[in-house]
Amino acid sequence: INLRDILKLPDRQEETMDNESLAAAFKALGDPTRLRIYQAIKDKDDICACNILEQMDITQPTLSHHVKQLCAAGLVSCRKDGRWMHYSANNETAARLSDWISV
């Protein structure tokens, strides 16, 4: 019998992966432009890239670069609609970050 199983503790690999994903999310939010983009996405349930561009003084390639990092960190989900991308916040990741901060 494994003590980790009895105490319902995550194994070290799970814990390391979780810490790595949390660090990636915090790192993605560490850039002021990405933080503003994430805020714009979080404020809407589903927002078109064109609407984000209207709110900020950045180019479409710059937006794509930053959103790609937010997606890779698990903070944002995207879907294509015609020629535009639509983004939504990943509430599960936001909840994990919030839980981690409040502990």
Side-chain angles (χ1 to χ4, degrees):
I1 297 177
N2 186 335
L3 184 58
R4 284 192 161 296
D5 292 336
I6 294 170
L7 297 176
K8 304 283 189 225
L9 297 173
D11 67 23
R12 300 241 186 259
Q13 186 175 5
E14 267 182 41
E15 189 175 296
T16 300
M17 293 300 285
D18 190 52
N19 287 342
E20 288 175 9
S21 64
L22 283 170
F26 282 118
K27 183 177 179 180
L29 293 173
D31 179 89
T33 301
R34 276 194 295 276
L35 191 57
R36 286 181 39 230
I37 292 168
Y38 180 71
Q39 183 69 47
I41 293 169
K42 190 172 76 66
D43 287 346
K44 301 280 185 183
D45 189 31
D46 182 65
I47 188 169
C48 178
C50 59
N51 296 117
I52 297 171
L53 289 170
E54 289 173 358
Q55 296 177 27
M56 300 183 187
D57 188 27
I58 58 174
T59 64
Q60 188 278 325
T62 300
L63 176 65
S64 293
H65 167 77
H66 286 300
V67 171
K68 182 178 179 182
Q69 293 184 1
L70 292 169
C71 288
L75 291 161
V76 170
S77 301
C78 63
R79 68 176 177 81
K80 188 166 181 134
D81 184 19
R83 56 175 249 181
W84 288 104
M85 294 298 289
H86 288 255
Y87 303 106
S88 56
N90 183 337
N91 294 329
E92 182 179 314
T93 302
R96 286 181 45 230
L97 292 176
S98 178
D99 289 347
W100 189 87
I101 288 171
S102 65
V103 171

XYZ file of all heavy atoms in Angstrom:
814
model
N 0.856 -1.179 0.000
C 0.000 0.000 0.000
C 0.899 1.238 0.000
O 1.846 1.322 0.765
C -0.947 0.010 1.220
C -1.881 -1.190 1.145
C -1.708 1.301 1.277
C -2.801 -1.311 2.327
N 0.514 2.191 -0.843
C 1.277 3.421 -0.999
C 0.653 4.506 -0.124
O -0.551 4.769 -0.193
C 1.242 3.832 -2.481
C 2.115 5.016 -2.779
O 2.411 5.826 -1.916
N 2.509 5.119 -4.031
N 1.475 5.163 0.694
C 0.996 6.216 1.587
C 0.374 7.374 0.805
O -0.627 7.952 1.226
C 2.148 6.721 2.456
C 1.789 7.767 3.514
C 0.724 7.230 4.472
C 3.015 8.187 4.277
N 0.920 7.688 -0.362
C 0.359 8.771 -1.191
C -1.080 8.449 -1.591
O -1.928 9.336 -1.655
C 1.204 8.985 -2.446
C 2.488 9.711 -2.170
C 3.104 10.141 -3.490
N 4.065 11.188 -3.377
C 3.848 12.423 -2.976
N 2.664 12.789 -2.625
N 4.812 13.304 -2.918
N -1.347 7.178 -1.903
C -2.704 6.786 -2.285
C -3.664 6.914 -1.106
O -4.791 7.353 -1.263
C -2.721 5.342 -2.811
C -1.989 5.206 -4.129
O -1.877 6.225 -4.854
O -1.516 4.093 -4.427
N -3.228 6.518 0.074
C -4.073 6.572 1.263
C -4.417 8.026 1.604
O -5.563 8.357 1.906
C -3.373 5.897 2.468
C -3.223 4.399 2.200
C -4.153 6.137 3.757
C -2.345 3.687 3.196
N -3.429 8.904 1.527
C -3.638 10.308 1.879
C -4.176 11.132 0.721
O -4.413 12.327 0.856
C -2.329 10.921 2.382
C -1.752 10.305 3.655
C -0.405 10.936 3.969
C -2.703 10.461 4.824
N -4.359 10.481 -0.446
C -4.862 11.160 -1.650
C -3.951 12.317 -2.075
O -4.411 13.379 -2.478
C -6.286 11.678 -1.454
C -7.281 10.628 -1.040
C -7.674 9.786 -2.209
C -8.837 8.891 -1.804
N -8.721 7.543 -2.220
N -2.657 12.127 -1.945
C -1.689 13.142 -2.359
C -1.360 12.969 -3.833
O -1.262 11.838 -4.321
C -0.387 13.010 -1.552
C -0.495 13.245 -0.050
C 0.826 12.909 0.630
C -0.872 14.684 0.229
N -1.178 14.053 -4.558
C -0.785 13.918 -5.962
C 0.640 13.390 -6.035
O 1.446 13.637 -5.140
C -0.866 15.342 -6.510
C -0.736 16.222 -5.318
C -1.298 15.447 -4.153
N 0.935 12.627 -7.079
C 2.314 12.169 -7.208
C 3.197 13.338 -7.639
O 2.730 14.378 -8.068
C 2.439 10.964 -8.148
C 2.122 11.264 -9.599
O 2.230 12.435 -10.002
O 1.791 10.324 -10.329
N 4.483 13.170 -7.475
C 5.426 14.272 -7.723
C 5.356 14.771 -9.162
O 5.479 15.949 -9.409
C 6.847 13.821 -7.400
C 7.001 13.388 -5.966
C 8.017 14.246 -5.252
N 8.253 13.722 -3.927
C 7.717 14.219 -2.849
N 6.900 15.225 -2.937
N 7.974 13.721 -1.668
N 5.135 13.873 -10.113
C 5.062 14.290 -11.516
C 3.835 15.178 -11.735
O 3.914 16.199 -12.388
C 5.018 13.076 -12.440
C 5.080 13.455 -13.899
C 5.160 12.251 -14.795
O 5.086 11.113 -14.349
N 5.310 12.493 -16.077
N 2.678 14.780 -11.178
C 1.467 15.611 -11.281
C 1.695 16.976 -10.662
O 1.317 17.999 -11.222
C 0.298 14.943 -10.535
C -0.580 14.082 -11.359
C -1.719 13.529 -10.523
O -2.294 14.260 -9.698
O -2.026 12.345 -10.700
N 2.328 16.992 -9.486
C 2.578 18.247 -8.785
C 3.508 19.145 -9.595
O 3.280 20.341 -9.718
C 3.206 17.930 -7.418
C 3.326 19.106 -6.501
C 3.847 18.675 -5.148
O 3.147 17.907 -4.461
O 4.945 19.120 -4.792
N 4.560 18.565 -10.183
C 5.495 19.325 -11.000
C 4.795 19.887 -12.225
O 4.972 21.060 -12.567
C 6.692 18.446 -11.433
O 7.352 17.989 -10.253
C 7.667 19.215 -12.296
N 3.975 19.088 -12.897
C 3.254 19.550 -14.070
C 2.302 20.681 -13.691
O 2.178 21.663 -14.408
C 2.479 18.404 -14.731
C 3.360 17.346 -15.353
S 4.418 18.004 -16.639
C 3.232 18.195 -17.938
N 1.643 20.551 -12.553
C 0.725 21.594 -12.121
C 1.486 22.886 -11.837
O 1.052 23.959 -12.228
C -0.058 21.138 -10.889
C -1.189 22.093 -10.576
O -1.976 22.385 -11.493
O -1.279 22.545 -9.430
N 2.624 22.778 -11.171
C 3.434 23.964 -10.890
C 3.937 24.600 -12.177
O 3.983 25.822 -12.287
C 4.606 23.613 -9.979
C 4.172 23.357 -8.552
O 3.081 23.740 -8.147
N 5.010 22.692 -7.793
N 4.300 23.782 -13.146
C 4.768 24.312 -14.428
C 3.649 25.042 -15.164
O 3.873 26.105 -15.745
C 5.345 23.199 -15.291
C 6.682 22.693 -14.799
C 7.200 21.507 -15.581
O 6.611 21.160 -16.628
O 8.195 20.928 -15.140
N 2.446 24.505 -15.129
C 1.335 25.166 -15.814
C 0.944 26.462 -15.101
O 0.607 27.455 -15.746
C 0.135 24.229 -15.967
O -0.399 23.873 -14.717
N 0.998 26.470 -13.774
C 0.730 27.701 -13.029
C 1.781 28.763 -13.346
O 1.449 29.929 -13.581
C 0.717 27.431 -11.522
C -0.533 26.770 -10.959
C -0.299 26.344 -9.508
C -1.721 27.704 -11.045
N 3.044 28.358 -13.386
C 4.121 29.301 -13.693
C 3.956 29.865 -15.101
O 4.162 31.063 -15.323
C 5.479 28.617 -13.541
N 3.566 29.017 -16.058
C 3.361 29.487 -17.439
C 2.231 30.504 -17.505
O 2.331 31.515 -18.213
C 3.062 28.302 -18.357
N 1.168 30.273 -16.751
C 0.036 31.211 -16.738
C 0.445 32.542 -16.123
O 0.145 33.610 -16.664
C -1.142 30.603 -15.988
N 1.154 32.493 -14.997
C 1.605 33.733 -14.365
C 2.595 34.473 -15.266
O 2.550 35.700 -15.362
C 2.232 33.465 -12.997
C 1.225 33.218 -11.914
C 1.178 32.009 -11.239
C 0.314 34.202 -11.547
C 0.245 31.786 -10.234
C -0.622 33.995 -10.545
C -0.654 32.775 -9.883
N 3.468 33.729 -15.929
C 4.437 34.360 -16.832
C 3.711 35.052 -17.990
O 4.062 36.169 -18.375
C 5.409 33.316 -17.368
C 6.487 33.894 -18.238
C 7.469 32.830 -18.675
C 8.536 33.440 -19.576
N 9.505 32.457 -20.026
N 2.694 34.392 -18.533
C 1.934 34.985 -19.637
C 1.260 36.278 -19.202
O 1.185 37.240 -19.962
C 0.899 33.992 -20.159
N 0.792 36.326 -17.968
C 0.120 37.524 -17.466
C 1.101 38.592 -16.991
O 0.692 39.699 -16.647
C -0.831 37.158 -16.321
C -2.037 36.312 -16.724
C -2.802 35.869 -15.486
C -2.929 37.063 -17.686
N 2.395 38.268 -17.000
C 3.412 39.204 -16.536
C 3.717 40.327 -17.507
O 4.373 41.293 -17.151
N 3.234 40.216 -18.729
C 3.457 41.260 -19.727
C 2.258 42.221 -19.689
O 1.108 41.776 -19.764
C 3.579 40.622 -21.114
C 3.792 41.653 -22.193
O 4.954 41.981 -22.452
O 2.780 42.124 -22.764
N 2.507 43.535 -19.601
C 1.386 44.490 -19.494
C 0.404 44.432 -20.670
O -0.811 44.545 -20.475
C 2.073 45.856 -19.436
C 3.462 45.583 -19.002
C 3.805 44.201 -19.492
N 0.911 44.226 -21.872
C 0.020 44.155 -23.042
C -0.838 42.903 -22.974
O -2.050 42.959 -23.209
C 0.829 44.179 -24.356
O 1.587 45.390 -24.387
C -0.084 44.109 -25.565
N -0.226 41.764 -22.631
C -1.004 40.522 -22.512
C -2.027 40.627 -21.390
O -3.138 40.116 -21.503
C -0.078 39.323 -22.292
C 0.476 38.779 -23.570
C 1.112 37.416 -23.389
N 2.271 37.433 -22.542
C 3.498 37.725 -22.938
N 3.726 38.039 -24.195
N 4.499 37.701 -22.096
N -1.659 41.293 -20.319
C -2.601 41.468 -19.207
C -3.818 42.271 -19.665
O -4.957 41.917 -19.354
C -1.890 42.161 -18.043
C -2.618 42.190 -16.713
C -2.964 40.803 -16.229
C -1.760 42.899 -15.673
N -3.598 43.323 -20.449
C -4.718 44.126 -20.972
C -5.562 43.315 -21.952
O -6.798 43.404 -21.943
C -4.178 45.383 -21.657
C -3.673 46.425 -20.684
C -3.153 47.705 -21.327
N -3.923 48.143 -22.463
C -3.386 48.480 -23.649
N -2.080 48.428 -23.837
N -4.148 48.892 -24.636
N -4.911 42.528 -22.787
C -5.645 41.682 -23.736
C -6.478 40.660 -22.980
O -7.661 40.452 -23.280
C -4.675 40.981 -24.721
C -4.033 42.018 -25.650
C -5.387 39.901 -25.515
C -2.854 41.485 -26.448
N -5.873 40.026 -21.975
C -6.602 39.033 -21.182
C -7.802 39.675 -20.486
O -8.890 39.098 -20.449
C -5.681 38.364 -20.153
C -6.395 37.335 -19.314
C -6.805 36.128 -19.865
C -6.695 37.588 -17.982
C -7.488 35.191 -19.105
C -7.371 36.661 -17.217
C -7.765 35.471 -17.779
O -8.446 34.537 -17.026
N -7.624 40.871 -19.965
C -8.733 41.578 -19.305
C -9.875 41.818 -20.290
O -11.041 41.620 -19.962
C -8.253 42.912 -18.715
C -9.319 43.658 -17.950
C -9.700 42.965 -16.670
O -8.829 42.550 -15.917
N -10.985 42.813 -16.421
N -9.535 42.239 -21.516
C -10.565 42.479 -22.536
C -11.304 41.189 -22.868
O -12.532 41.186 -23.041
C -9.936 43.062 -23.795
N -10.573 40.076 -22.944
C -11.192 38.787 -23.251
C -12.048 38.324 -22.078
O -13.173 37.854 -22.259
C -10.109 37.741 -23.601
C -9.419 38.129 -24.916
C -10.706 36.338 -23.678
C -8.170 37.321 -25.227
N -11.531 38.468 -20.873
C -12.246 38.022 -19.676
C -13.539 38.801 -19.465
O -14.530 38.255 -18.982
C -11.328 38.172 -18.460
C -11.833 37.537 -17.197
C -10.777 37.573 -16.119
C -10.605 38.907 -15.479
N -11.691 39.432 -14.713
N -13.541 40.081 -19.854
C -14.725 40.920 -19.653
C -15.889 40.529 -20.561
O -17.024 40.896 -20.298
C -14.385 42.394 -19.870
C -13.558 42.966 -18.733
O -13.468 42.321 -17.670
O -12.980 44.056 -18.927
N -15.609 39.817 -21.632
C -16.648 39.358 -22.565
C -16.700 37.840 -22.527
O -15.709 37.183 -22.256
C -16.334 39.803 -23.995
C -16.217 41.286 -24.179
C -17.578 41.901 -24.279
C -17.455 43.388 -24.580
N -18.691 44.048 -24.618
N -17.853 37.288 -22.829
C -17.971 35.833 -22.886
C -17.254 35.289 -24.124
O -16.646 34.244 -24.095
C -19.459 35.444 -22.909
C -19.656 33.952 -22.749
O -18.828 33.310 -22.079
O -20.638 33.430 -23.300
N -17.331 36.041 -25.199
C -16.733 35.651 -26.471
C -16.447 36.953 -27.219
O -17.354 37.731 -27.446
C -17.718 34.778 -27.255
C -17.163 34.298 -28.573
O -16.191 33.533 -28.556
O -17.704 34.696 -29.621
N -15.180 37.187 -27.541
C -14.838 38.460 -28.178
C -14.029 38.214 -29.445
O -13.148 37.362 -29.486
C -14.082 39.394 -27.207
C -13.891 40.785 -27.806
C -12.778 38.790 -26.745
C -13.396 41.828 -26.823
N -14.374 38.968 -30.459
C -13.689 38.887 -31.748
C -12.372 39.658 -31.658
O -12.289 40.689 -30.985
C -14.582 39.491 -32.835
S -13.827 39.513 -34.459
N -11.368 39.164 -32.362
C -10.083 39.859 -32.408
C -10.257 41.296 -32.882
O -9.574 42.204 -32.391
C -9.115 39.107 -33.316
N -11.190 41.518 -33.797
C -11.409 42.875 -34.306
C -11.846 43.821 -33.192
O -11.460 44.988 -33.173
C -12.425 42.868 -35.440
S -14.045 42.222 -35.002
N -12.628 43.325 -32.223
C -13.065 44.164 -31.114
C -11.923 44.462 -30.141
O -11.867 45.547 -29.564
C -14.226 43.520 -30.368
C -15.458 43.388 -31.225
O -15.919 42.284 -31.491
N -15.989 44.506 -31.694
N -11.024 43.512 -29.975
C -9.850 43.751 -29.120
C -8.972 44.815 -29.766
O -8.492 45.726 -29.101
C -9.058 42.449 -28.893
C -9.918 41.427 -28.143
C -7.773 42.730 -28.110
C -9.303 40.040 -28.065
N -8.788 44.694 -31.082
C -7.956 45.665 -31.794
C -8.531 47.080 -31.704
O -7.772 48.044 -31.629
C -7.789 45.250 -33.258
C -6.909 44.021 -33.489
C -7.013 43.551 -34.934
C -5.471 44.303 -33.107
N -9.845 47.204 -31.683
C -10.484 48.518 -31.547
C -10.193 49.149 -30.190
O -10.131 50.369 -30.069
C -11.997 48.398 -31.726
C -12.440 48.112 -33.137
C -13.932 47.830 -33.242
O -14.627 47.812 -32.192
O -14.403 47.615 -34.368
N -10.030 48.306 -29.172
C -9.816 48.793 -27.804
C -8.362 49.166 -27.518
O -8.085 49.869 -26.555
C -10.233 47.723 -26.791
C -11.689 47.382 -26.802
C -12.007 46.272 -25.815
O -11.319 46.095 -24.820
N -13.049 45.512 -26.097
N -7.440 48.658 -28.325
C -6.018 48.819 -28.024
C -5.259 49.378 -29.211
O -5.661 49.221 -30.354
C -5.438 47.470 -27.626
C -6.121 46.900 -26.427
S -5.388 45.379 -25.919
C -6.564 44.915 -24.673
N -4.164 49.995 -28.910
C -3.316 50.572 -29.948
C -2.208 49.574 -30.316
O -1.024 49.825 -30.068
C -2.728 51.901 -29.456
C -2.004 52.645 -30.561
O -2.363 52.452 -31.741
O -1.077 53.411 -30.240
N -2.622 48.422 -30.871
C -1.668 47.404 -31.306
C -2.094 46.902 -32.683
O -3.237 47.087 -33.092
C -1.572 46.215 -30.313
C -2.939 45.538 -30.119
C -0.991 46.664 -28.976
C -2.892 44.285 -29.266
N -1.173 46.254 -33.370
C -1.472 45.712 -34.688
C -2.012 44.286 -34.560
O -1.866 43.641 -33.514
C -0.205 45.684 -35.569
O 0.738 44.785 -34.973
C 0.399 47.076 -35.713
N -2.599 43.800 -35.644
C -3.134 42.438 -35.643
C -2.027 41.395 -35.404
O -2.227 40.474 -34.616
C -3.898 42.175 -36.952
C -4.658 40.865 -36.986
C -3.760 39.684 -37.353
O -2.842 39.822 -38.156
N -4.007 38.553 -36.744
N -0.841 41.516 -36.030
C 0.212 40.547 -35.734
C 0.657 40.565 -34.266
O 0.944 39.517 -33.689
C 1.362 40.965 -36.660
C 0.700 41.678 -37.786
C -0.462 42.402 -37.151
N 0.677 41.755 -33.664
C 1.036 41.848 -32.245
C -0.018 41.165 -31.389
O 0.307 40.420 -30.455
C 1.191 43.327 -31.820
O 2.231 43.910 -32.611
C 1.528 43.462 -30.347
N -1.281 41.390 -31.709
C -2.366 40.716 -30.988
C -2.232 39.203 -31.114
O -2.304 38.482 -30.120
C -3.734 41.169 -31.505
C -4.934 40.449 -30.888
C -5.050 40.743 -29.400
C -6.214 40.840 -31.620
N -2.002 38.726 -32.320
C -1.858 37.281 -32.545
C -0.721 36.698 -31.721
O -0.851 35.622 -31.128
C -1.618 36.991 -34.022
O -2.759 37.301 -34.776
N 0.395 37.405 -31.683
C 1.553 36.944 -30.912
C 1.204 36.798 -29.432
O 1.492 35.775 -28.804
C 2.717 37.928 -31.086
C 3.829 37.725 -30.110
N 4.748 36.711 -30.246
C 4.170 38.402 -28.989
C 5.603 36.762 -29.238
N 5.274 37.788 -28.473
N 0.569 37.812 -28.874
C 0.243 37.783 -27.448
C -0.851 36.762 -27.129
O -0.762 36.058 -26.122
C -0.166 39.180 -26.972
C 0.990 40.120 -26.852
N 2.060 39.907 -26.020
C 1.251 41.294 -27.485
C 2.928 40.895 -26.117
N 2.457 41.748 -27.013
N -1.851 36.677 -27.980
C -2.933 35.715 -27.723
C -2.412 34.275 -27.842
O -2.843 33.400 -27.094
C -4.135 35.965 -28.659
C -5.149 34.851 -28.544
C -4.796 37.289 -28.323
N -1.473 34.056 -28.739
C -0.871 32.723 -28.868
C -0.231 32.312 -27.540
O -0.369 31.163 -27.109
C 0.167 32.728 -29.986
C 0.811 31.402 -30.223
C 1.793 31.463 -31.382
C 2.454 30.113 -31.603
N 3.443 30.171 -32.685
N 0.427 33.222 -26.869
C 1.042 32.921 -25.580
C -0.015 32.702 -24.493
O 0.138 31.832 -23.640
C 2.022 34.017 -25.195
C 3.223 34.035 -26.122
C 4.266 35.040 -25.720
O 4.134 35.750 -24.729
N 5.329 35.113 -26.501
N -1.089 33.469 -24.532
C -2.177 33.271 -23.570
C -2.849 31.915 -23.782
O -3.203 31.233 -22.814
C -3.204 34.402 -23.680
C -2.737 35.785 -23.230
C -3.747 36.854 -23.638
C -2.508 35.810 -21.722
N -3.006 31.523 -25.037
C -3.582 30.204 -25.348
C -2.665 29.082 -24.889
O -3.116 28.098 -24.300
C -3.859 30.084 -26.846
S -5.238 31.079 -27.426
N -1.371 29.232 -25.154
C -0.398 28.207 -24.755
C -0.358 28.026 -23.245
O -0.131 26.924 -22.747
C 0.982 28.566 -25.286
N -0.620 29.095 -22.513
C -0.635 29.035 -21.057
C -1.968 28.518 -20.516
O -2.122 28.344 -19.314
C -0.346 30.417 -20.477
N -2.929 28.273 -21.401
C -4.222 27.746 -20.975
C -5.178 28.797 -20.447
O -6.215 28.460 -19.881
N -4.851 30.063 -20.639
C -5.709 31.127 -20.128
C -6.845 31.494 -21.069
O -7.872 32.015 -20.642
C -4.866 32.382 -19.867
C -3.890 32.267 -18.703
C -2.814 33.332 -18.797
C -4.642 32.360 -17.393
N -6.653 31.228 -22.353
C -7.607 31.650 -23.374
C -7.873 30.503 -24.339
O -6.972 29.738 -24.660
C -7.048 32.886 -24.137
C -7.875 33.222 -25.348
C -6.938 34.083 -23.213
N -9.112 30.404 -24.781
C -9.505 29.461 -25.834
C -9.871 30.263 -27.064
O -10.340 31.401 -26.948
C -10.722 28.644 -25.395
O -10.436 27.927 -24.229
N -9.655 29.686 -28.231
C -9.969 30.431 -29.448
C -10.748 29.547 -30.420
O -10.680 28.322 -30.361
C -8.706 30.963 -30.107
S -7.581 29.700 -30.668
N -11.518 30.228 -31.269
C -12.235 29.547 -32.343
C -12.262 30.484 -33.542
O -12.325 31.717 -33.387
C -13.642 29.140 -31.934
C -14.587 30.273 -31.711
C -16.016 29.811 -31.384
N -16.849 30.963 -31.117
C -17.404 31.733 -32.049
N -17.234 31.463 -33.325
N -18.148 32.765 -31.721
N -12.200 29.905 -34.725
C -12.210 30.702 -35.948
C -13.639 30.829 -36.452
O -14.395 29.871 -36.469
C -11.325 30.042 -36.999
C -11.126 30.905 -38.209
C -10.001 30.381 -39.065
C -9.861 31.311 -40.241
N -8.519 31.671 -40.521
N -14.005 32.057 -36.843
C -15.321 32.329 -37.412
C -15.082 33.173 -38.660
O -14.824 34.372 -38.567
C -16.201 33.074 -36.408
C -17.617 33.287 -36.917
O -18.035 32.569 -37.848
O -18.306 34.178 -36.380
N -15.122 32.523 -39.812
C -14.795 33.228 -41.051
C -13.323 33.564 -41.067
O -12.482 32.717 -40.855
N -13.015 34.830 -41.251
C -11.604 35.216 -41.250
C -11.135 35.756 -39.913
O -9.979 36.104 -39.743
C -11.316 36.226 -42.353
C -12.163 37.465 -42.309
C -11.736 38.444 -43.352
N -11.147 39.571 -42.634
C -10.676 40.643 -43.183
N -10.662 40.772 -44.471
N -10.186 41.628 -42.466
N -12.042 35.858 -38.935
C -11.683 36.390 -37.622
C -11.611 35.294 -36.572
O -12.344 34.306 -36.627
C -12.693 37.439 -37.175
C -12.580 38.712 -37.947
C -13.418 39.142 -38.935
C -11.557 39.696 -37.826
N -12.980 40.346 -39.426
C -11.842 40.710 -38.768
C -10.434 39.828 -37.012
C -11.035 41.832 -38.906
C -9.637 40.947 -37.156
C -9.941 41.930 -38.092
N -10.767 35.519 -35.593
C -10.670 34.623 -34.442
C -11.525 35.212 -33.315
O -11.594 36.434 -33.146
C -9.220 34.505 -33.972
C -8.307 33.833 -34.969
S -8.771 32.129 -35.345
C -8.352 31.315 -33.830
N -12.144 34.330 -32.575
C -12.914 34.725 -31.397
C -12.258 34.082 -30.184
O -11.854 32.921 -30.232
C -14.374 34.265 -31.511
C -15.153 35.056 -32.508
N -16.060 36.004 -32.128
C -15.143 35.059 -33.863
C -16.590 36.551 -33.205
N -16.041 35.986 -34.270
N -12.188 34.834 -29.106
C -11.487 34.373 -27.912
C -12.410 34.384 -26.701
O -13.306 35.208 -26.586
C -10.278 35.271 -27.630
C -9.320 35.342 -28.787
C -9.241 36.474 -29.584
C -8.503 34.263 -29.097
C -8.364 36.543 -30.652
C -7.624 34.323 -30.166
C -7.559 35.462 -30.932
O -6.695 35.518 -31.995
N -12.149 33.452 -25.799
C -12.863 33.420 -24.528
C -11.877 32.991 -23.444
O -10.918 32.266 -23.707
C -14.067 32.476 -24.585
O -13.667 31.184 -24.964
N -12.127 33.467 -22.241
C -11.259 33.136 -21.111
C -11.537 31.712 -20.666
O -12.683 31.254 -20.677
C -11.493 34.108 -19.959
N -10.489 31.013 -20.296
C -10.615 29.673 -19.753
C -10.842 29.822 -18.247
O -9.901 30.059 -17.493
C -9.354 28.855 -20.050
C -9.456 27.434 -19.567
O -10.223 27.128 -18.666
N -8.677 26.563 -20.162
N -12.089 29.697 -17.831
C -12.436 29.926 -16.426
C -11.800 28.917 -15.483
O -11.535 29.238 -14.326
C -13.958 29.934 -16.255
C -14.593 31.106 -16.960
O -13.994 32.169 -17.086
N -15.798 30.920 -17.452
N -11.539 27.722 -15.961
C -10.909 26.698 -15.119
C -9.493 27.131 -14.726
O -9.102 27.027 -13.567
C -10.873 25.361 -15.855
C -10.289 24.227 -15.031
C -10.296 22.923 -15.794
O -11.325 22.599 -16.413
O -9.259 22.240 -15.770
N -8.742 27.628 -15.688
C -7.385 28.088 -15.388
C -7.423 29.304 -14.472
O -6.640 29.401 -13.521
C -6.622 28.425 -16.685
O -6.594 27.262 -17.504
C -5.203 28.868 -16.394
N -8.330 30.227 -14.730
C -8.460 31.415 -13.868
C -8.804 30.999 -12.430
O -8.259 31.563 -11.477
C -9.526 32.342 -14.436
N -9.657 30.005 -12.280
C -10.029 29.530 -10.951
C -8.836 28.891 -10.247
O -8.638 29.096 -9.041
C -11.189 28.537 -11.050
N -8.035 28.143 -10.998
C -6.831 27.538 -10.398
C -5.864 28.609 -9.928
O -5.269 28.488 -8.850
C -6.149 26.605 -11.395
C -6.891 25.301 -11.608
C -6.238 24.345 -12.571
N -4.819 24.193 -12.368
C -3.905 24.285 -13.347
N -4.262 24.535 -14.577
N -2.635 24.120 -13.072
N -5.678 29.662 -10.737
C -4.791 30.761 -10.331
C -5.332 31.447 -9.091
O -4.587 31.737 -8.149
C -4.649 31.768 -11.463
C -3.905 31.302 -12.712
C -3.944 32.382 -13.770
C -2.488 30.915 -12.393
N -6.610 31.693 -9.070
C -7.248 32.349 -7.922
C -7.125 31.488 -6.666
O -6.799 31.990 -5.589
C -8.714 32.622 -8.232
O -9.342 33.209 -7.135
N -7.367 30.193 -6.808
C -7.233 29.279 -5.673
C -5.801 29.275 -5.138
O -5.580 29.284 -3.925
C -7.636 27.849 -6.048
C -9.126 27.690 -6.265
O -9.885 28.613 -5.884
O -9.524 26.656 -6.829
N -4.845 29.268 -6.037
C -3.446 29.233 -5.628
C -3.077 30.496 -4.878
O -2.391 30.454 -3.861
C -2.534 29.046 -6.850
C -1.120 28.787 -6.457
C -0.554 27.586 -6.164
C -0.090 29.775 -6.282
N 0.757 27.769 -5.831
C 1.069 29.093 -5.894
C -0.054 31.147 -6.428
C 2.268 29.733 -5.642
C 1.149 31.811 -6.177
C 2.286 31.104 -5.788
N -3.545 31.653 -5.361
C -3.225 32.923 -4.719
C -3.867 33.023 -3.348
O -3.263 33.523 -2.403
C -3.671 34.114 -5.610
C -2.754 34.220 -6.816
C -3.676 35.420 -4.844
C -3.217 35.210 -7.864
N -5.083 32.522 -3.218
C -5.829 32.691 -1.960
C -5.413 31.703 -0.874
O -5.845 31.853 0.256
C -7.324 32.583 -2.212
O -7.655 31.277 -2.648
N -4.572 30.741 -1.203
C -4.143 29.758 -0.193
C -3.094 30.344 0.709
O -2.315 31.146 0.411
C -3.618 28.474 -0.864
C -2.972 27.554 0.131
C -4.751 27.776 -1.567
